[in-house]
Amino acid sequence: MTVESVTYNRITSPRNLINVGVFTAVYFVVLFAGGMLGILNPVMVLLGALAGTVVNAMVCMLYVAKTRALGAYTLLGLVIGLLMVATGHAWVTPILSTGLGLLADLITRAGGYTRTSTNALGFAVFSVWCVGPVLPVLWGSEEYFADMARRMGQDYADTFRELATPAVIGGWVVLVFLVAFGCALVGVRVLHKHFERAGVA
């Protein structure tokens, strides 16, 4: 299928609004499950986000295939960002997740929602939003770690302080991007092989 032959949909159609609700819920459940690994150890905060990215690659590839509409990632990012703030994370998170969602929308639309490279790149760009909750480390670390100590204990906060250096956070963002891109490539192939044949996508 060529980019020119793709039929674009409206994100505000009833069907797509349902898709936004369903896939946002699934995305958040996967994200929450990965985030829960952080209870075990501060290192798992970062590894849990990576695990969630791996699973959500397939979720988002199916989401893009089902909606094929500008605004899909933007709405996903907005809702997820607001949910993160509601669960105690940094205020900057919805700004970052919504902005990257818009950029991901533009990338996937440029490929007509069918080009493997742009679908994978859109997801990879969007996935970088997960740095939002830890960004306060860069400008308000004392308050951030004091709050973490109240919630998780002083030892946990001290360990995370040693881990969450700007260099580590920067490297982690790059790793998230690469893992997201690679998993999305696999997700597109799985989508073509199984879901499209079954008429799901």
Side-chain angles (χ1 to χ4, degrees):
M1 181 181 291
T2 64
V3 171
E4 289 78 11
S5 66
V6 173
T7 299
Y8 297 110
N9 301 318
R10 292 182 298 106
I11 194 62
T12 54
S13 70
R15 179 179 178 181
N16 268 344
L17 290 177
I18 292 173
N19 284 331
V20 170
V22 170
F23 282 94
T24 298
V26 174
Y27 185 99
F28 186 74
V29 168
V30 172
L31 178 73
F32 184 79
M36 288 297 290
L37 295 175
I39 295 175
L40 304 176
N41 186 283
V43 176
M44 296 305 294
V45 172
L46 306 184
L47 295 182
L50 278 175
T53 298
V54 170
V55 178
N56 272 326
M58 188 67 252
V59 173
C60 285
M61 291 306 95
L62 185 56
Y63 178 49
V64 168
K66 293 284 285 184
T67 55
R68 294 188 178 184
L70 187 67
Y73 271 120
T74 306
L75 286 178
L76 174 63
L78 174 61
V79 175
I80 291 297
L82 292 175
L83 287 172
M84 293 298 286
V85 170
T87 54
H89 293 282
W91 59 267
V92 72
T93 305
I95 298 173
L96 186 61
S97 60
T98 305
L100 290 174
L102 176 58
L103 184 55
D105 269 325
L106 296 174
I107 292 170
T108 52
R109 187 178 181 86
Y113 306 108
T114 60
R115 188 178 297 160
T116 299
S117 59
T118 50
N119 282 355
L121 180 60
F123 176 69
V125 167
F126 176 70
S127 297
V128 173
W129 77 263
C130 67
V131 73
V134 298
L135 279 181
V137 170
L138 303 179
W139 65 73
S141 59
E142 292 305 319
E143 181 180 352
Y144 180 87
F145 289 115
D147 180 65
M148 180 176 287
R150 285 193 295 271
R151 291 185 291 110
M152 304 298 294
Q154 191 62 52
D155 289 343
Y156 187 102
D158 290 343
T159 301
F160 195 76
R161 184 193 290 269
E162 293 176 4
L163 173 67
T165 64
V168 169
I169 293 174
W172 176 61
V173 169
V174 172
L175 183 58
V176 167
F177 180 89
L178 294 176
V179 168
F181 185 79
C183 290
L185 290 177
V186 174
V188 171
R189 292 190 178 94
V190 172
L191 182 69
H192 290 330
K193 184 175 181 180
H194 298 290
F195 289 94
E196 287 185 353
R197 289 181 182 177
V200 176

